[in-house]
Amino acid sequence: MWKEFREFVMRGNLLDMAIGIVLGVAFGAIIASLVNDVIMPPIGLLLGSVNFSNLFISLNGQTYPSLDAAKAAGAPTINYGVFINTLINFLIVAFVLFLIIRAINQMRRKQESAAIPTAKECPYCHTQIPIPATRCPHCTSQLE
């Protein structure tokens, strides 16, 4: 049983998935920092120093200076500012992944187009000639 478990764990697919998950978590932390520390401050400044994470609606009818104060008071709140931050975070992650996959697909297309042969060898004189040629320009043999 131990041997089977070890073979299962050491399969390439499982290891690839584990590496992907670890990299995904690290990538998520980078994107969260990008959104919260780089992108959101200028957007907040453009909108009049609005901090999206402090946008909330108190459901008990009282007003609080910040979301932290409302949470400390135990007030029920709808945290739509946190939702906006999460939505922007998702859109940035989706866009970055789109750009990465697009670049990978372009590299694959270039590799595939480079692998398509553009010349063939003349069976009589062994000179490289274009694929659509019907006669060898070097030995003038008729090609099939």
Side-chain angles (χ1 to χ4, degrees), residues 64-127:
Y64 299 94
S66 69
L67 180 60
D68 291 335
K71 284 184 179 182
T77 58
I78 296 176
N79 307 324
Y80 67 93
V82 174
F83 176 75
I84 292 171
N85 276 346
T86 304
L87 183 63
I88 291 171
N89 190 352
F90 170 77
L91 292 174
I92 290 170
V93 168
F95 184 69
V96 168
L97 287 176
F98 166 75
L99 292 177
I100 290 170
I101 291 172
R102 184 173 173 228
I104 290 171
N105 287 340
Q106 286 177 349
M107 287 189 301
R108 283 185 183 164
R109 279 189 224 118
K110 286 180 184 177
Q111 287 176 348
E112 288 172 0
S113 65
I116 297 172
T118 58
K120 62 183 177 182
E121 186 176 282
C122 173
Y124 303 104
C125 67
H126 303 289
T127 305

Side-chain angles (χ1 to χ4, degrees), residues 33-47 49-50:
S33 176
L34 176 69
V35 170
N36 295 329
D37 302 329
V38 176
I39 294 174
M40 294 309 288
I43 290 174
L45 184 65
L46 289 174
L47 296 174
S49 297
V50 174

Side-chain angles (χ1 to χ4, degrees), residues 43-75:
I43 290 174
L45 184 65
L46 289 174
L47 296 174
S49 297
V50 174
N51 183 358
F52 286 112
S53 61
N54 274 331
L55 298 177
F56 67 96
I57 297 172
S58 175
L59 297 177
N60 64 3
Q62 296 180 1
T63 58
Y64 299 94
S66 69
L67 180 60
D68 291 335
K71 284 184 179 182

